[in-house]
Amino acid sequence: MVMMGGGNPGHIPQVQERFSEILHELAIDQAAVRRLVGIYDPPQGEKQFISALTDMLNQEYGWGLKPENIALTNGSQAAFFMLFNMFGGDYGDGSRKHILLPMAPEYIGYADAGIAPELFKAVRPDITFTDAHEFKYRVDFDAVEVTAETGAICVSRPTNPTGNVVTDEELARLEVLARAHDVPLIVDGAYGTPFPSLLFVDATPHWNEQIVLCLSLSKLGLPAARTGIVIAAEPIIEALASVNAIMNLATGSFGAMVAEPLVRSGEILSLSRDVVCPFYKGKMERAVSEFSAAMGEHCRWYVHKPEGAMFLWLWFPGLPVSSLELYQRLKARGVLVVSGHYFFPGLPDDGWRHRNECLRVTYSQDDEQVAKGLRIIADEVKTIWAEAGH
Amino acid sequence: MVMMGGGNPGHIPQVQERFSEILHELAIDQAAVRRLVGIYDPPQGEKQFISALTDMLNQEYGWGLKPENIALTNGSQAAFFMLFNMFGGDYGDGSRKHILLPMAPEYIGYADAGIAPELFKAVRPDITFTDAHEFKYRVDFDAVEVTAETGAICVSRPTNPTGNVVTDEELARLEVLARAHDVPLIVDGAYGTPFPSLLFVDATPHWNEQIVLCLSLSKLGLPAARTGIVIAAEPIIEALASVNAIMNLATGSFGAMVAEPLVRSGEILSLSRDVVCPFYKGKMERAVSEFSAAMGEHCRWYVHKPEGAMFLWLWFPGLPVSSLELYQRLKARGVLVVSGHYFFPGLPDDGWRHRNECLRVTYSQDDEQVAKGLRIIADEVKTIWAEAGH
């Protein structure tokens, strides 16, 4: 089976080598081992990592952070579960608030995170064509509506599944909206800036107290360590730490301690920029090139402009079968992808055909396997059109 | 400040030495490092650890487990958050169920775990006197009532905060009740059997499909690794893994991989029995001896029979101040403990004076500090009685 459905990051030997070195140093330092295994961190997270990250971000970007602005969670997913249910859902006074996703498609992992039903309200994007077989979603600000029932606005940047990067201008407009309605703007930077930087276009690292910036060590190469990072105003961090104490007692120390030397020295930024980013950019370019060659001009097809993350978002306008059926046919041929229709949490059922015309294809794994999978996708799409008499 | 309030396990050099060795072996094995940091575990948890634990438990106890009976979570606390809200709370059809705690006092960490309010129903224990200054709680089966609104029964064994160990007979009766009403009996074995074995009386390791057995690597010496273990019927594990996927995507690999060699060889059992248990038993005996000498016969005082865990549960019948005030006075004298009144989640406000007459005192840390703290507690209690004219 060619695995192009999952979200596991790629294997970058140079990055793993650094983690091996650090692990080795930790293993021979008894005081470090004691912290690594034997002492509960506070619910806000490992202090030395938070301190190092505070210093590094202030030095690089002048954000004026204090350690009280940063909390660690057992992975980003756990952070979003807590944040969404803190800002959205039942407020206990009879009122209920939603999380506004200003641009669908959006991350599938949000879909089930609501304790209360119907937690999300999503908005259809504008579609612009950027090349013969390339398009880009843009926020349709005419359709974005923040109301008294909006608890927070959330956008992933780069976006999983599309590889879209919300522009600096779009982000600024979302922030203006958030500020005007006194709700936080949650920016999911799991693939983004300042690290791990799976970004192939410019995107300015940005934070202030209106923003809840969620980062992760997973795509740097530490998915198994489960370390999410939340940067926000102090009252939000304080509340998050309290929720974390109730749900998890404490966050694991491992990811924080393995990454701390890289944060303290700033190496996490150079590693992201000079190693991680080029690794994925190369994979993206080879994948696009392979798929373009395989598709040719037989039918309508588009790739979302691949600006970041590690997915190609393929769009087959007018395809005679749904993306779910395409997924099933591809699975039968040994290629695992994800049907695009899952990535529209909170978008009302509006008969929009586009929702059922897209696939998310992960290109983080072995190049030859990725190329093989993409050729099979192209072949299957052409077969479907041929079966329909085109 | 003498820290006798927290739940951090003690520092056992012999145990840490083993973890250092294993860490060192992992750090020099590139394939192991890749698994340790670079690959998401499935939502059910790290497969090799689960496989090793399944084999070991079957071999030792003949429980007939399959890997599908075991899930790993980011610590026990996370397991309880998920389990309590799976079995208790709002069932979505208008009905609401509670978690029955058949013997208060019970673990403070359960108290806020309910998404729905009033998740717990607790039952007052019988108090039996086992020595001049020693008592033991027993389950008052006449008062334990399982109803159609009971979602699960839960008991910690040994009990945090009291150090009580529910007897094999009590556990068997609870299981009969659970079976009769078709609800799971959740046994919180974070300090218990078969590991880490902070047990100073006999307690038989016990599991079958009626029981949800929750274990942890924390008190073995890995609190910072956040590894909880849930052993239950397959449908429960399947549901738990699904909830874990939604809330956390995956569980961290670190604790599982560090402990796996100990599980595969069975060393986790001998380490628990021959090193961890004697370490805490010695600390318990020194603490009881120190406190007995310091208290003398000046006033009424009792220690709950210290059968396990790492706490003394002190009871001062008729003390002129509440346990909360005693806590504050001790804090002012540099000794941090926990007021006992927090440990009665789900027990209706019944004017039972006993709730405000107890302290939880942790004896896991440095012996001299523990002795110093206990002498100050004794002195403060005698001072309070003297102030009241006794």
Side-chain angles (χ1 to χ4, degrees), chain A residues 197-358:
Chain A
S197 220
L198 278 67
L199 281 167
F200 322 132
V201 294
D202 288 337
T204 309
H206 182 62
W207 181 83
N208 58 52
E209 293 213 336
Q210 200 68 39
I211 291 175
V212 179
L213 178 59
C214 297
L215 300 172
S216 164
L217 299 179
S218 293
K219 270 56 192 186
L220 191 73
L222 291 171
R226 313 305 304 122
T227 306
I229 301 162
V230 181
I231 307 173
E234 286 185 45
I236 294 175
I237 295 301
E238 198 180 337
L240 185 68
S242 298
V243 176
N244 197 35
I246 288 170
M247 288 178 53
N248 299 302
L249 192 61
T251 297
S253 311
F254 178 62
M257 283 189 69
V258 168
E260 194 259 359
L262 305 181
V263 172
R264 190 159 294 284
S265 65
E267 187 185 347
I268 195 169
L269 299 181
S270 55
L271 208 58
S272 296
R273 192 177 50 230
D274 303 334
V275 179
V276 177
C277 175
F279 173 87
Y280 286 101
K281 190 170 185 221
K283 282 192 172 292
M284 176 276 284
E285 287 168 347
R286 289 188 292 279
V288 169
S289 161
E290 188 73 37
F291 191 65
S292 300
M295 284 304 294
E297 300 294 335
H298 291 276
C299 61
R300 281 188 77 195
W301 65 272
Y302 298 93
V303 177
H304 189 285
K305 192 177 177 207
E307 302 178 313
M310 53 188 211
F311 312 103
L312 293 188
W313 178 252
L314 307 178
W315 176 25
F316 304 105
L319 192 72
V321 307
S322 72
S323 56
L324 182 59
E325 194 175 332
L326 177 55
Y327 152 82
Q328 285 157 341
R329 291 175 65 138
L330 289 170
K331 190 175 169 190
R333 291 188 64 179
V335 179
L336 215 59
V337 299
V338 184
S339 168
H341 77 282
Y342 294 112
F343 294 89
F344 295 83
L347 193 68
D349 196 355
D350 54 1
W352 187 30
R353 196 185 159 107
H354 182 78
R355 297 162 74 136
N356 295 299
E357 296 179 332
C358 301

